[in-house]
């Protein structure tokens, strides 16, 4: 018979605090103690104790008492308070690197980004720069009395649970032991694929107070997120949590083949979605630039300018890439059985119109049509979403284990 570890009082309290924080984060408006007790299933006495602990630790604050009826007793709303704890997000991408601090209130407490072509760079050099960039941010938070509770790192490649970057082809990095770097050890960083981090940033109430603009999906919804850059990454979110898969590869839609006889992809296979709809592929197909120059910011800006001007060559390239997107998205949606797709990264520049076009073309390719309706959106967090998601990954440590950080 399996031995079950006895849950002591502190474990139970930690769990209840976590459940309470989760309820507050995903709520569309502040909740009273009675509301929280009803939502979480905890007793009013327990909720009174938990709320007192959170108030004392300055994690939440009380609003003005509200009387719901003419004869009712006033209730005091509780809401998430900013400035007490922070998560730090780190990112190394093909177009630069940076850091960001985020508090539970959803406010940005500091941010820095360096735009730079990262192809063929030395990981030791880049992590040293990221380390030097992060130190001042940590010091500012400390002076404000804000405790760093965790950090996430977003990378454009395959990352394992034991903190190895197996491959990031568009950086030219392979088999990098992330624990060798000082900033990773100092902040006890959790690393992950940039698309998965970007997907986290779209989930309302994941680790920050629910924001009004995060209205495309709900806290426990399921969806596919596509990250389009030089390469194409993807993430599957099931019931509000990112699906990692057995080896961290889940959601890698960019290397789904959409044409057996298609162009050779950098992964070694033919006809991958990335070889049609990735940034490098679009620029090269439009004959704007080749090889490493095709990944430059200047090249993609020229591509987008010509598209807006109605250049027929660019328009044809975009049409072919859209065909590839439809094929890959339909296969992915049918495989994982979701009805919502968020299209991020480069393709956000094509606007909401692209989402409407994809929705229309996808309808007949989805199993269960017409009963199943597919939705395609440009994600609410479009500017450096992976950086925000990485910071939320750090904050999530506090949500799941609040007693460890509360004084």
């Amino acid at each position: 018979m399996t031995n079950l570890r006895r849950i002591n009082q502190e474990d139970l309290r930690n769990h209840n605090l976590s459940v309470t924080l989760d309820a507050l984060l995903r709520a569309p408006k502040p909740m009273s103690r009675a509301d929280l007790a009803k939502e979480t299933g905890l007793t009013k006495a327990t909720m009174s104790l938990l709320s007192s602990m959170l108030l004392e630790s300055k994690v939440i604050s009380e609003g003005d008492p509200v009387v719901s009826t003419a004869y009712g007793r006033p209730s005091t709303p509780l809401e998430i308070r900013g400035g007490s704890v922070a998560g730090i997000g780190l990112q190394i991408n093909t177009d630069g690197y940076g850091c960001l601090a985020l508090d539970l209130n959803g406010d940005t407490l500091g941010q820095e980004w360096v735009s730079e072509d990262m192809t063929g760079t030395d990981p030791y050099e880049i992590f040293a720069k990221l380390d030097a960039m992060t130190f001042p941010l940590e010091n500012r938070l400390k002076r404000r009395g804000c405790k760093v509770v965790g950090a996430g790192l977003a990378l454009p490649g395959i990352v394992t649970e034991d903190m190895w970057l197996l491959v990031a082809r568009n950086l030219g990095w392979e088999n990098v032991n992330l624990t060798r770097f000082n900033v990773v050890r100092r902040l006890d960083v959790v690393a992950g694929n940039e698309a998965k981090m970007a997907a986290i940033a779209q989930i309302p109430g994941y680790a920050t107070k629910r924001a009004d603009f995060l209205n495309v999906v709900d806290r426990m919804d399921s969806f596919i997120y596509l990250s389009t850059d030089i390469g194409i990454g993807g993430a599957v979110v099931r019931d509000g949590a990112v699906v990692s898969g057995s080896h961290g590869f889940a959601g890698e839609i960019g290397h789904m083949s959409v044409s057996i006889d298609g162009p050779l992809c950098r992964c070694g296979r033919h006809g991958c979605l990335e070889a049609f709809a990735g940034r490098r592929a679009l620029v090269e197909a439009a004959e704007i630039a080749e090889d490493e120059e095709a990944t430059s910011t200047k090249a993609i800006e020229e591509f987008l300018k010509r598209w807006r001007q109605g250049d027929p060559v660019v328009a044809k390239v975009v049409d072919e890439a859209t065909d590839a997107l439809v094929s890959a998205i339909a296969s992915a949606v049918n495989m994982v059985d979701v009805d919502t797709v968020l299209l991020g990264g480069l393709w956000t520049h094509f606007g909401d119109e692209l989402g409407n076009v994809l929705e229309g073309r996808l309808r007949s390719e989805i199993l269960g049509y017409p009963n199943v309706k597919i939705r395609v959106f440009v994600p609410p967090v479009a500017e450096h979403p992976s950086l925000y998601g990485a910071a939320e990954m750090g904050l999530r440590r506090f949500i799941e284990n609040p007693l460890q950080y509360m004084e």
Side-chain angles (χ1 to χ4, degrees):
M1 182 176 180
T2 303
N3 290 324
L4 299 178
R5 184 174 68 87
R6 180 176 296 175
I7 299 178
N8 61 32
Q9 192 68 24
E10 186 171 296
D11 290 334
L12 183 59
R13 187 167 294 168
N14 197 43
H15 170 76
N16 290 341
L17 281 167
S18 178
V19 169
T20 301
L21 284 169
D22 246 337
L24 283 168
L25 288 172
R26 66 172 179 257
K29 60 182 181 180
M31 303 176 73
S32 68
R33 291 169 177 80
D35 292 333
L36 281 167
K38 184 177 180 180
E39 175 70 18
T40 61
L42 299 171
T43 66
K44 291 183 179 180
T46 298
M47 186 53 63
S48 179
L49 173 62
L50 297 175
S51 58
S52 295
M53 293 177 66
L54 292 170
L55 285 165
E56 186 177 344
S57 299
K58 299 181 179 179
V59 175
I60 65 173
S61 60
E62 291 184 323
D64 295 329
V66 176
V67 179
S68 57
T69 65
Y71 303 102
R73 296 178 60 185
S75 63
T76 303
L78 303 174
E79 57 184 332
I80 295 292
R81 174 178 176 176
S84 58
V85 298
I88 290 182
L90 309 171
Q91 184 180 10
I92 299 172
N93 201 22
T94 55
D95 61 349
Y97 60 94
C99 62
L100 176 145
L102 200 63
D103 70 6
L104 288 172
N105 206 32
D107 292 333
T108 300
L109 304 179
Q111 181 177 4
E112 187 172 353
W113 183 265
V114 173
S115 294
E116 184 178 313
D117 182 5
M118 303 293 288
T119 307
T121 52
D122 179 359
Y124 286 91
E125 179 183 342
I126 299 304
F127 272 99
K129 290 180 178 179
L130 195 59
D131 193 15
M133 176 189 287
T134 309
F135 256 123
L137 176 60
E138 293 175 73
N139 289 334
R140 288 198 301 272
L141 293 173
K142 187 176 181 179
R143 288 196 298 269
R144 293 176 58 171
C146 186
K147 183 181 296 184
V148 176
V149 294
L153 168 63
L155 294 165
I158 297 172
V159 183
T160 64
E161 288 187 0
D162 57 351
M163 297 291 287
W164 278 80
L165 174 64
L166 297 185
V167 61
R169 288 188 174 86
N170 292 314
L171 294 179
W173 296 2
E174 289 187 11
N175 296 317
V176 179
N177 182 357
L178 300 173
T179 62
R180 290 183 177 181
F181 305 115
N182 185 57
V183 66
V184 172
R185 294 193 303 269
R186 188 179 71 252
L187 293 173
D188 192 19
V189 165
V190 177
N193 175 265
E194 56 88 19
K196 292 176 173 57
M197 296 293 187
I200 286 172
Q202 317 304 329
I203 304 172
Y206 181 84
T208 59
K209 185 174 73 172
R210 182 171 184 159
D212 291 339
F213 68 88
L214 288 175
N215 56 5
V216 171
V217 295
D218 211 338
R219 172 65 180 89
M220 299 304 292
D221 279 354
S222 301
F223 61 91
I224 292 174
Y225 180 90
L226 266 70
S227 174
T228 51
D229 192 62
I230 292 175
I232 294 182
V236 177
V237 174
R238 175 70 66 187
D239 300 329
V242 174
V243 177
S244 296
S246 298
H247 304 94
F249 306 166
E252 282 295 330
I253 192 173
H255 296 290
M256 179 180 289
S257 180
V258 295
S259 174
I260 296 175
D261 299 324
L264 181 66
C265 180
R266 287 169 65 86
C267 74
R269 302 175 68 224
H270 283 272
C272 291
L273 174 61
E274 184 173 307
F276 287 96
R279 192 168 87 184
R280 181 198 297 269
L282 292 171
V283 169
E284 288 185 341
E287 299 182 346
I288 292 172
E290 295 181 355
D291 301 324
E292 300 308 321
E293 291 184 9
T295 65
S296 68
T297 301
K298 181 180 178 181
I300 194 59
E301 287 176 349
E302 177 65 21
F303 181 91
L304 291 170
K305 184 180 79 172
R306 293 188 190 184
W307 176 75
R308 295 186 188 102
Q309 292 172 347
D311 184 298
V313 174
V314 172
K316 182 181 179 181
V317 170
V318 172
D319 285 344
E320 291 177 349
T322 303
D323 290 341
L325 277 172
V326 170
S327 177
I329 291 172
S331 296
V333 166
N334 288 335
M335 183 176 295
V336 301
D337 188 19
V338 298
D339 57 13
T340 303
V341 177
L342 304 187
L343 192 60
L346 167 66
W347 283 81
T348 61
H349 293 284
F350 295 97
D352 293 331
E353 181 183 348
L354 175 65
N356 296 332
V357 170
L358 289 174
E359 273 188 19
R361 295 185 56 183
L362 283 166
R363 284 172 188 156
S364 60
E365 298 195 26
I366 301 302
L367 297 176
Y369 175 82
N371 296 319
V372 176
K373 307 294 184 182
I374 185 72
R375 305 183 305 158
V376 181
F377 297 107
V378 172
V381 182
E383 188 72 20
H384 296 305
S386 301
L387 199 54
Y388 280 89
E392 289 204 52
M393 177 68 78
L395 276 173
R396 190 67 204 175
R397 282 189 170 180
F398 172 74
I399 306 302
E400 294 175 353
N401 192 9
L403 277 182
Q404 180 179 342
Y405 305 98
M406 289 170 56
E407 297 178 355

